[in-house]
Amino acid sequence: FKDLEKVYIDNTKGYTYHQYEKLILEINTLGNIYRKYIIDFQKSLCNSETIPHLSYSNHVLRLLLILEKFGVQMFYPYVIKRISDCNEDFTRPELINDFRILESFVVRRRLSGRGVNDYAEKCNKILHGEDIRAVLIPEMISEESDINDVMIKSWIKNIKNNETAKIILYCIELYRRNDTRHDIKELCYNYTLEHVMPVKWDKYWSTIPVLDEQGQELDEENPDRIGERSKAISNLGNMVLLTGKLNSALNNREFSIKING
């Protein structure tokens, strides 16, 4: 940002009146898209009366929700440009395909805990003409990568961040409802996350059998017993979305009491 004025001067040197006019109109168009799909969208998420209802088929808003909840602003310039290029037509196959690639990349990186230090650089490459497939897909399919399909299966067994788990479960639920058997296909993002087996499991869950990842029961003398139980807490399969907060008296109780409570 400190170089913005210099960059502007260098890039507009020798501009004619009509070139300036064209630039201002372009800035105005992109600014309106930014306000409409990012600023106004952010505001709508903060108000229980205006939270948008999303369906799985609305790939653009789903991506915007993920970027907002994960705090990833670095790709906004690319998102704004692509929405502008497509004249805000969210049904365009090329827009959907590109945004699904970006969505997959951001979610995978979030699960891996890698950080976002190179996001601005990657966005810059895409904005300057490199194909998004060439920039992002190699990292997602490389056998050495920590965000390929094999690694993702291990990362979802250890999700420490509740917002991450919530987003993933929400997207899975949208995907499940993208089916003729479901009459309700749109859901708003206003759920709370509950651990089925609680973080503080020792009081009410200590007598419940402990199984390892192969489904074998571990006896009480097995030194891995407590480790296996604690490890299962942060597994995505131990988490569920609720439409309201669970009664605090039930948070740490057994499964049957939680269900009936």
Side-chain angles (χ1 to χ4, degrees):
F1 288 121
K2 62 183 174 62
D3 295 325
L4 186 59
E5 184 178 357
K6 182 179 184 303
V7 169
Y8 172 78
I9 292 171
D10 290 346
N11 281 274
T12 58
K13 203 173 290 181
Y15 264 31
T16 65
Y17 173 86
H18 292 295
Q19 285 175 310
Y20 276 118
E21 186 178 43
K22 182 182 176 184
L23 176 63
I24 290 168
L25 288 172
E26 184 181 0
I27 291 171
N28 181 65
T29 298
L30 297 175
N32 282 328
I33 290 173
Y34 177 75
R35 174 190 50 77
K36 181 177 178 181
Y37 294 108
I38 296 177
I39 299 299
D40 289 352
F41 185 68
Q42 288 172 342
K43 290 178 180 176
S44 71
L45 291 172
C46 298
N47 188 332
S48 59
E49 296 181 0
T50 60
I51 295 179
H53 284 67
L54 273 62
S55 65
Y56 180 75
S57 60
N58 197 328
H59 301 283
V60 176
L61 289 187
R62 193 175 68 244
L63 172 64
L64 289 173
L65 175 69
I66 289 168
L67 294 179
E68 169 64 17
K69 291 300 179 180
F70 287 176
V72 176
Q73 293 90 23
M74 296 73 108
F75 285 109
Y76 279 157
Y78 169 73
V79 171
I80 293 165
K81 181 180 184 300
R82 293 295 286 118
I83 292 175
S84 176
D85 290 344
C86 293
N87 296 314
E88 302 181 46
D89 180 0
F90 293 172
T91 65
R92 297 273 284 271
E94 65 272 25
L95 181 72
I96 292 171
N97 290 335
D98 288 352
F99 278 11
R100 288 182 70 174
I101 290 169
L102 179 57
E103 175 189 34
S104 181
F105 177 80
V106 169
V107 172
R108 287 165 183 261
R109 284 285 292 266
R110 173 80 170 195
L111 281 167
S112 73
R114 272 270 307 280
V116 299
N117 291 342
D118 58 342
Y119 279 11
E121 179 188 348
K122 290 183 183 300
C123 183
N124 195 42
K125 287 181 178 180
I126 301 167
L127 283 173
H128 284 83
E130 291 192 43
D131 192 321
I132 190 170
R133 293 158 185 78
V135 176
L136 301 184
I137 288 181
E139 189 176 335
M140 293 192 277
I141 63 174
S142 168
E143 290 185 4
E144 289 77 37
S145 173
D146 61 353
I147 62 170
N148 60 31
D149 288 355
V150 174
M151 291 302 297
I152 290 304
K153 288 177 181 178
S154 65
W155 292 128
I156 61 173
K157 295 178 182 178
N158 186 27
I159 303 178
K160 302 293 188 185
N161 186 286
N162 285 355
E163 195 70 58
T164 303
K166 207 158 78 168
I167 280 284
I168 292 171
L169 288 174
Y170 176 73
C171 290
I172 289 172
E173 189 61 29
L174 291 181
Y175 177 78
R176 288 180 66 245
R177 290 173 179 272
N178 191 39
D179 187 295
T180 54
R181 293 172 295 178
H182 287 279
D183 57 344
I184 299 176
K185 298 185 182 298
E186 295 186 342
L187 301 171
C188 60
Y189 189 73
N190 62 348
Y191 296 93
T192 61
L193 187 79
E194 175 68 15
H195 290 79
V196 179
M197 179 175 68
V199 176
K200 297 177 181 179
W201 56 265
D202 51 332
K203 183 174 182 180
Y204 295 108
W205 290 68
S206 57
T207 59
I208 297 171
V210 178
L211 309 181
D212 62 18
E213 290 189 8
Q214 286 70 46
Q216 301 298 315
E217 185 174 341
L218 304 178
D219 60 49
E220 293 189 9
E221 305 303 319
N222 193 312
D224 296 331
R225 193 170 183 273
I226 293 178
E228 286 292 328
R229 171 131 290 173
S230 298
K231 196 165 63 174
I233 292 168
S234 55
N235 194 309
L236 186 66
N238 187 47
M239 302 173 194
V240 66
L241 295 181
L242 298 179
T243 53
K245 285 192 174 182
L246 194 65
N247 185 325
S248 58
L250 300 175
N251 282 345
N252 298 328
R253 294 305 300 259
E254 308 93 307
F255 178 70
S256 60
I257 292 180
K258 276 190 172 185
I259 292 297
N260 296 320

